[in-house]
Amino acid sequence: MTTNKITNIFLVFIIAALTTILLYNSDIDNYKEFPSQRFSIDTKDNPIARAEFELRMVRNPKTGKVPNEIRRKEIKFVKDIPSRKINTLSKTGKIETLDFQSRGPVNRGGRTRALGVDIRSTSGNVTIIAAGVSGGIWKSTNDGAAWTQTSLPSQINNATCIVQDTRTGHEDTWYIGTGEARGNSASGGNAFYLGDGIFKSIDNGQSWSRIPSTVRNTPQTYNFPFNLVHALAINPATGTLFAAASNVIMRSANGGDSWTTVRGSLANSTPTFVTASTNGYIYAAVNSSVADKGIWKSTNDGASWSNITPAGFPQVYNRVIIAVAPSDPNRIYLLAHTPGSGADSPAGVGDEHSFWVSMDGGNSWTERTNNLPNADNVAGYSSQGGYDMVMAVKPNDPNYVVVGGTNLFRSTDAFATKITNTKTNWIGGYALANDISQYTNHHADQHALVFAPFNSRIIYSGNDGGVQVCRDLSQPTVVWNQLNNGYQTSQFYSIALDHASSGDNTLLGGLQDNAHYFTNSSDPSSAWKEMIAGGDGGFTAIADNKTSYYIEPQNGLLIRLRLNEAGNWQNWTVAKPSHNTNYLFINPYVLDPNNTNRMYFVAGDSLWRNNDL
């Protein structure tokens, strides 16, 4: 496709989406303090708003949906390229080969839902496998000190859940599910992180291939259970594999070669869940909108099921997760997103939750919903509509439960008493200051928890900021360490460079839920510098000769920065349009290439211009 065609297509979309062009003046606010904390206040991640932004980027303007045949056309376009190399036309008309190399950032991981620790790991010899929703599969053999990507760029780099076959002699076998149904535009065929099957590794995560029975090669269209795999489980007694897919629980007794549906039916993208206990019982949850709704238990490897939904359980429930205590397989925990009933959430109406416990394998239940944390700014329990929900039970203590939403909380008595927001039980996510700043060396929005198999005081956490570890969970104040060195799964909304400086190494990017990062080093092992803490980093721009840098935290807060050579701020101003307009979660903008003192800024359904930034 020629440059002119691309430009014309872009202009058509802009004209179709925007209704007015207005001249704006900068809304300038000069502050003495650096905005790293100021702008982290009241700027929580909003997965629904982000979903709307992503959908706007790729949908057909007429239908509002992603075209069904777009993936086939993409593949055909790639096949028609005459060279195996990636080429482009230079200004001289000659073909030039582009040689891509990673620039990082090596110190910032992204949204991580799949996280596993090899059951054979010992202190000083820990193998971790982790994967991002769009960043591929990675492996560390030195307890997260360094990482190697083990999935191929040519494969779908999408991962949402993981399980290891822990049977003796089978430990080298792992499975990873694809397709994220929460945290993006997940309304049926418009889900932007639709998956395409289940990955399998038989060499302890060194290489991966997708199981043919789970692949359709149509990840642009929601039409198959394995487009969205929410959870995986393996019966530790038999090796039978279970997949909680779209509306269904699937079972395979032959390593994924063939499958049978044991619960639910393919209807929409509502979440399901499945897990296995140490004694080989299987527990599953199906959304309340499905015919097979409820909490289910199988004691015969999935051949038959009994409904163990608690009496008095809310009638409406979306995502439900289940945790079984490793040291007591009769101890079952339910954490459910139950909009309209249950405990209130800092996110407000529609984000309520319920918590139940059974001491006898699901035969009877006790509700302990009221003992979830209070809805106090960011201090309470919130899953943002089921986007971030995780739960784990300490391997040697059935009463020690860790639950995650935006934050992490621990209960040492199985929520028999009220969780209060003190240093002893609020252990991660947002900081204890309760102002949406980050907990030290941890990150908000929890997706995965794994206890170390050799030490129950050690726990690994996967979230929107990558992977972290706590090496002693018994301490009154929990301390975390980052494990993101080389774990390159961050998600960029944008990247900017200085077009006026040939060969310049300066880059500025906006990252999903990880603010903005800066580098001027060509060394890919060099750490990038965080510009502003908290929230999502949107579009970025660098004026000619680096006279100004522009960043945009979510909801249209455009900021102009002056930086020195090391990337440290000199001064800054707020420069967004001085008008109460309908800002999007992420608002695109661009500097005029002929005059970088002029900017065009998209704010909802209007386009703004500033002629003198």
Side-chain angles (χ1 to χ4, degrees):
M1 185 177 291
T2 66
T3 301
N4 287 338
K5 287 183 178 179
I6 294 174
T7 302
N8 290 338
I9 291 173
F10 174 77
L11 290 175
V12 168
F13 274 89
I14 289 294
I15 292 171
L18 306 176
T19 60
T20 60
I21 299 180
L22 304 171
L23 182 66
Y24 78 83
N25 295 316
S26 296
D27 180 17
I28 304 297
D29 290 319
N30 289 292
Y31 301 102
K32 294 181 179 180
E33 76 274 16
F34 182 64
S36 60
Q37 294 302 318
R38 180 183 181 87
F39 291 131
S40 69
I41 305 300
D42 296 328
T43 58
K44 289 189 293 183
D45 182 34
N46 187 333
I48 297 175
R50 185 174 71 247
E52 293 172 351
F53 165 74
E54 292 174 347
L55 177 59
R56 283 172 178 258
M57 287 198 301
V58 298
R59 69 182 179 183
N60 183 317
K62 291 184 178 180
T63 65
K65 297 181 179 180
V66 180
N68 288 335
E69 294 298 313
I70 193 65
R71 179 59 176 168
R72 180 184 61 79
K73 293 177 180 178
E74 288 173 348
I75 294 173
K76 182 179 183 301
F77 176 78
V78 172
K79 289 181 178 179
D80 289 342
I81 296 176
S83 172
R84 292 184 179 180
K85 297 180 179 179
I86 301 174
N87 297 310
T88 186
L89 285 173
S90 70
K91 292 181 180 179
T92 63
K94 296 180 181 180
I95 298 294
E96 294 181 345
T97 299
L98 298 180
D99 181 18
F100 283 95
Q101 297 178 344
S102 173
R103 286 290 302 274
V106 296
N107 56 318
R108 180 72 280 162
R111 188 159 81 248
T112 299
R113 288 189 178 272
L115 179 62
V117 177
D118 189 345
I119 193 69
R120 297 163 293 185
S121 295
T122 58
S123 180
N125 185 24
V126 181
T127 294
I128 310 171
I129 297 177
V133 296
S134 62
I137 306 170
W138 297 72
K139 180 179 179 180
S140 173
T141 57
N142 54 9
D143 202 13
W147 297 82
T148 300
Q149 186 171 5
T150 55
S151 60
L152 301 176
S154 58
Q155 297 172 321
I156 183 171
N157 280 279
N158 173 312
T160 51
C161 52
I162 187 171
V163 70
Q164 181 184 19
D165 191 338
T166 58
R167 294 176 298 158
T168 301
H170 297 267
E171 298 95 334
D172 280 350
T173 300
W174 294 76
Y175 300 89
I176 285 182
T178 64
E180 184 188 43
R182 290 293 181 269
N184 53 79
S185 299
S187 54
N190 291 328
F192 285 103
Y193 293 109
L194 281 175
D196 193 19
I198 295 175
F199 281 99
K200 183 176 183 178
S201 174
I202 57 174
D203 56 7
N204 203 31
Q206 284 298 115
S207 62
W208 299 85
S209 59
R210 284 182 296 158
I211 301 172
S213 64
T214 67
V215 177
R216 282 281 180 90
N217 290 317
T218 57
Q220 80 284 356
T221 304
Y222 175 76
N223 59 9
F224 194 44
F226 297 107
N227 284 141
L228 295 170
V229 183
H230 308 286
L232 295 168
I234 293 179
N235 188 330
T238 64
T240 300
L241 175 64
F242 294 85
S246 303
N247 271 12
V248 295
I249 306 297
M250 309 286 286
R251 176 186 185 273
S252 175
N254 51 20
D257 290 342
S258 60
W259 298 82
T260 56
T261 301
V262 293
R263 290 288 97 191
S265 61
L266 182 64
N268 53 48
S269 59
T270 57
T272 52
F273 187 84
V274 67
T275 191
S277 63
T278 53
N279 63 351
Y281 292 177
I282 311 300
Y283 295 88
V286 180
N287 186 277
S288 64
S289 66
V290 183
D292 275 347
K293 66 179 181 180
I295 315 302
W296 299 86
K297 175 181 178 180
S298 176
T299 60
N300 56 5
D301 207 26
S304 61
W305 298 78
S306 57
N307 193 323
I308 59 169
T309 307
F313 198 69
Q315 293 298 305
V316 177
Y317 46 93
N318 292 328
R319 189 177 177 191
V320 180
I321 58 175
I322 306 169
V324 185
S327 60
D328 180 3
N330 285 318
R331 184 75 64 88
I332 317 296
Y333 297 99
L334 296 180
L335 178 61
H337 175 232
T338 53
S341 60
D344 293 336
S345 159
V349 177
D351 193 46
E352 295 85 1
H353 300 83
S354 298
F355 185 87
W356 295 70
V357 59
S358 174
M359 306 290 185
D360 56 8
N363 294 319
S364 60
W365 293 89
T366 301
E367 183 176 10
R368 295 178 177 175
T369 298
N370 291 333
N371 293 334
L372 291 172
N374 288 327
D376 176 20
N377 194 5
V378 298
Y381 183 80
S382 169
S383 73
Q384 302 182 89
Y387 164 63
D388 35 27
M389 285 182 68
V390 67
M391 181 167 50
V393 184
K394 200 173 183 181
N396 62 346
D397 185 351
N399 291 306
Y400 199 115
V401 185
V402 181
V403 298
T406 52
N407 297 320
L408 273 182
F409 297 96
R410 63 181 173 189
S411 171
T412 58
D413 63 2
F415 288 91
T417 56
K418 178 74 175 179
I419 284 287
T420 56
N421 299 318
T422 67
K423 292 182 179 180
T424 59
N425 50 53
W426 180 357
I427 62 172
Y430 292 117
L432 304 182
N434 201 15
D435 62 359
I436 315 184
S437 58
Q438 295 292 328
Y439 197 103
T440 302
N441 286 328
H442 202 247
H443 200 284
D445 301 347
Q446 316 307 314
H447 304 296
L449 290 170
V450 183
F451 280 95
F454 54 89
N455 187 337
S456 62
R457 295 196 306 272
I458 299 175
I459 190 169
Y460 297 85
S461 173
N463 45 54
D464 275 13
V467 180
Q468 300 91 41
V469 62
C470 168
R471 303 202 181 278
D472 192 352
L473 197 59
S474 66
Q475 294 299 310
T477 300
V478 167
V479 175
W480 295 93
N481 297 110
Q482 293 280 354
L483 299 182
N484 286 321
N485 184 38
Y487 178 61
Q488 299 185 59
T489 55
S490 51
Q491 298 172 299
F492 277 79
Y493 281 110
S494 69
I495 193 74
L497 51 81
D498 181 1
H499 291 275
S501 302
S502 178
D504 187 78
N505 292 316
T506 302
L507 293 175
L508 178 66
L511 287 68
Q512 184 269 321
D513 209 24
N514 283 289
H516 300 82
Y517 274 74
F518 165 95
T519 185
N520 56 11
S521 172
S522 61
D523 182 359
S525 64
S526 177
W528 288 38
K529 183 180 182 63
E530 186 177 11
M531 290 288 95
I532 284 187
D536 286 57
F539 275 67
T540 51
I542 302 177
D544 285 352
N545 301 307
K546 297 180 283 295
T547 53
S548 295
Y549 296 80
Y550 295 91
I551 61 176
E552 181 217 355
Q554 58 213 51
N555 302 318
L557 185 58
L558 178 66
I559 300 171
R560 185 181 71 220
L561 290 168
R562 300 284 172 79
L563 306 178
N564 63 16
E565 286 296 320
N568 298 316
W569 70 280
Q570 303 296 294
N571 56 70
W572 61 278
T573 59
V574 174
K576 67 179 181 178
S578 55
H579 180 74
N580 293 325
T581 188
N582 181 29
Y583 288 105
L584 300 176
F585 184 72
I586 300 294
N587 299 268
Y589 58 87
V590 63
L591 295 177
D592 187 329
N594 298 309
N595 177 7
T596 55
N597 200 34
R598 177 183 293 129
M599 176 181 286
Y600 295 90
F601 186 100
V602 177
D605 57 359
S606 61
L607 176 63
W608 294 75
R609 184 183 67 212
N610 187 312
N611 285 328
D612 189 9
L613 284 170

